[in-house]
Amino acid sequence: MTALTLSTAGAATLRADALVVGVAKGAKGPVVAPGAEPVDAAFDGKLAAVLDALGASGADGEVTKLAAPAGLKVPVVIAVGLGDAPEDGASYDEELLRKAAGSAARALHGAKKAGFALPVEDASAVTAIAEGALLGAYAFTAYQGGEKKDGKNGKQPLAEVALLGAKPRDKEQKAAAERAKIVAAEVNIARDLVNTPPNDLNPEAFAAVAQATAKELGIKVQVLDDKALLKGGYGGIMGVGRGSEAPPRLVKLAYTHPKAEKHLAFVGKGITYDSGGISLKPAGHNETMKCDMAGAAAVFSAVVAAARLGLEVNVTGWLALAENMPSGSATRPGDVLRMYSGKTVEVLNTDAEGRLVLADALTKASEENPDAIVDVATLTGAMVFALGNRTFGVMANDDAFRTSLHEIAEEVGEASWPMPLPADMRKGMDSPTADIANMGERMGGGLVAGLFLKEFVGEGITWAHLDIAGPAFHEGAPYGYTPKGGTGSAVRTLVRLAERTASGDLG
């Protein structure tokens, strides 16, 4: 994990491998951002002109490396774009700061220490820059040979971030940095889980990770194995997992605080590998299906973050873990499953399995009558078609809660969009054989899946569903603080929801 310090050193005196400064887009060319004044002075006040000559504009995501001039204690200066320069008196956008810090950290893989002299006006800016740098410094190298981990080849992440311009003795800024460390660490753990190959992370292995972490932090943990699930009547989880030699698990993680007045339940889809089952996915659609447990990873990390932050709210996480495989014992299209709720479901497509494991977990979570339930899942390709690869959908049985979650996601820098649950689409899931089918209308499939889940939420309980199928796993080139592979989508949203709830604002 990359170390983070609030440094008292000045930009001109810091000894490090590189110094990161901000540059914005001005009306007549690049503009040097606050925090970079000593660096500009070392360039005789011509840093903006030098960057302009090199073709830099200050655009969002732009990274320009310069040899440091005399007067600085670093060999390299990295100028990162902050987008359009804010109007007089306005602050730099926090998400742009976060992305700029992430871009710089990615460019510094292999370095031991770098100073970040970006605009720091308050604790919120400290949070944004610290999170961006720590998330951008992420690298998944667990399965790469020792020679490939050599920092000279850029595989090892930046070892230390020295954040300049902050006030180390300021309580708010110090707390912001500590929070950023915890949140970024848990996002990166979620990324590790998503990136781990399915031969090493099956339901039993995931449950073991949860148990070990819970023991360290004093979080109560309960694991239901396949025998307990069968005895308990968890037909959805067992129906999905029975085709695999790696049996399913349902994991409960309970963080409690003695002063808590509210209780949140987070439910995560944890399909550790999704072949589609008997409704087998075609080639080109199954290579990245180790990521189908990203919802459970997000829930796990959010509960751990709440515990590490000591939030005054009770948070229970439910990880519905299974592997969806075809075999002689696998669920067939046309089979009927009796769910934990007692409802029966006709399985028309075994590749619509996530909603089946979530249904059982939602029913179980509802038994504790929490103040709100939020489920997180890489649930439908339809949501990706609707919103693209970088935005998750938010559905809920309460419009105000849906709006609140959307605002929270935007606040922490996670792109989201509120989606409806049209009542008229429920009829498409009517089954002549069972209480409900696991498929409905083809158009608007992401909404159909949300309507299915709603059927299994306890009466009177506020509930929301986050479909993170698009942003959970990034297959393109890294950008900002987003790496290739697992992204840790929804962790920051869940943590912020828990923080708001602890402060009395559930939404």
Side-chain angles (χ1 to χ4, degrees):
M1 177 67 185
T2 301
L4 173 74
T5 59
L6 298 184
S7 178
T8 58
T13 58
L14 179 75
R15 294 185 182 276
D17 295 316
L19 187 61
V20 178
V21 298
V23 56
K25 289 181 67 176
K28 298 180 179 180
V31 177
V32 177
E37 292 87 354
V39 179
D40 189 31
F43 277 91
D44 296 326
K46 298 179 180 179
L47 177 56
V50 171
L51 290 169
D52 188 35
L54 292 173
S57 66
D60 173 21
E62 185 180 76
V63 176
T64 306
K65 292 185 178 182
L66 302 167
L72 299 179
K73 303 295 184 181
V74 297
V76 176
V77 171
I78 294 182
V80 289
L82 295 172
D84 291 336
E87 296 180 3
D88 291 343
S91 300
Y92 280 84
D93 179 79
E94 291 174 20
E95 179 61 7
L96 288 175
L97 289 174
R98 191 179 286 111
K99 289 163 65 177
S103 295
R106 285 192 298 102
L108 285 163
H109 277 204
K112 292 182 178 180
K113 181 179 180 179
F116 282 65
L118 297 172
V120 179
E121 294 187 13
D122 52 25
S124 295
V126 171
T127 295
I129 297 168
E131 280 185 357
L134 295 174
L135 294 175
Y138 174 81
F140 186 68
T141 60
Y143 292 83
Q144 295 172 349
E147 71 280 356
K148 292 183 180 179
K149 292 184 181 181
D150 187 341
K152 294 180 181 179
N153 292 326
K155 294 297 182 181
Q156 285 284 30
L158 172 63
E160 181 183 350
V161 171
L163 204 161
L164 310 182
K167 301 174 182 177
R169 294 184 180 180
D170 182 279
K171 290 183 178 180
E172 288 189 3
Q173 294 192 19
K174 184 177 180 181
E178 291 303 314
R179 178 193 179 277
K181 290 179 187 179
I182 291 172
V183 173
E186 296 311 319
V187 171
N188 286 338
I189 286 173
R191 291 170 168 180
D192 282 347
L193 288 167
V194 173
N195 288 328
T196 300
N199 57 315
D200 281 345
L201 192 75
N202 59 25
E204 182 180 9
F206 197 153
V209 170
Q211 286 176 305
T213 303
K215 184 177 180 180
E216 291 177 7
L217 296 173
I219 299 171
K220 293 182 180 179
V221 61
Q222 179 185 18
V223 178
L224 298 183
D225 63 14
D226 51 317
K227 293 179 181 179
L229 292 169
L230 185 63
K231 183 178 180 180
Y234 294 84
I237 297 175
M238 286 301 299
V240 173
R242 74 187 194 191
S244 172
E245 293 184 356
R249 296 286 188 272
L250 178 61
V251 179
K252 176 186 177 183
L253 295 162
Y255 161 69
T256 58
H257 192 284
K259 295 183 180 180
E261 296 182 357
K262 296 290 185 179
H263 176 200
L264 295 175
F266 298 153
V267 177
K269 172 188 172 183
I271 304 300
T272 58
Y273 181 75
D274 182 19
S275 70
I278 296 298
S279 305
L280 193 66
K281 293 179 185 290
H285 292 79
N286 56 18
E287 292 81 359
T288 60
M289 282 298 101
K290 65 180 182 180
C291 78
D292 215 19
M293 37 58 68
V299 166
F300 168 70
S301 285
V303 175
V304 172
R308 293 183 61 191
L309 291 167
L311 302 182
E312 293 185 11
V313 59
N314 294 336
V315 183
T316 304
W318 299 89
L319 317 181
L321 309 175
E323 188 174 65
N324 187 24
M325 297 291 285
S327 72
S329 60
T331 292
R332 298 161 289 257
D335 282 356
V336 173
L337 305 177
R338 186 171 296 278
M339 311 296 281
Y340 179 71
S341 67
K343 289 183 180 179
T344 54
V345 176
E346 182 180 12
V347 179
L348 299 180
N349 187 327
T350 65
D351 196 22
E353 83 300 330
R355 64 200 70 182
L356 299 176
V357 300
L358 285 173
D360 277 352
L362 285 168
T363 302
K364 186 64 177 176
S366 296
E367 290 181 347
E368 298 186 346
N369 198 32
D371 293 285
I373 298 175
V374 180
D375 77 70
V376 187
T378 47
L379 204 61
T380 65
M383 194 58 63
V384 184
F385 278 111
L387 299 178
N389 291 316
R390 297 189 181 185
T391 304
F392 62 73
V394 184
M395 287 157 268
N397 60 4
D398 180 281
D399 288 348
F401 190 50
R402 181 185 64 185
T403 298
S404 179
L405 276 169
H406 170 56
E407 292 174 347
I408 286 171
E410 296 296 312
E411 176 188 338
V412 300
E414 295 198 295
S416 70
W417 196 252
M419 301 293 282
L421 290 173
D424 62 283
M425 298 183 77
R426 167 60 181 84
K427 186 173 178 59
M429 289 184 284
D430 286 348
S431 165
T433 308
D435 295 325
I436 191 172
N438 77 328
M439 294 292 288
E441 297 178 28
R442 183 167 178 266
M443 297 296 113
L447 312 184
V448 171
L451 286 166
F452 180 91
L453 296 178
K454 183 182 177 183
E455 296 275 327
F456 296 88
V457 177
E459 186 175 352
I461 298 176
T462 300
W463 157 81
H465 162 57
L466 310 184
D467 190 337
I468 61 170
F473 195 84
H474 179 56
E475 295 185 66
Y479 63 93
Y481 53 85
T482 301
K484 187 178 181 69
T487 64
S489 178
V491 174
R492 289 180 291 142
T493 296
L494 295 180
V495 173
R496 189 72 187 103
L497 172 63
E499 288 174 326
R500 277 199 183 186
T501 304
S503 67
D505 181 17
L506 179 54

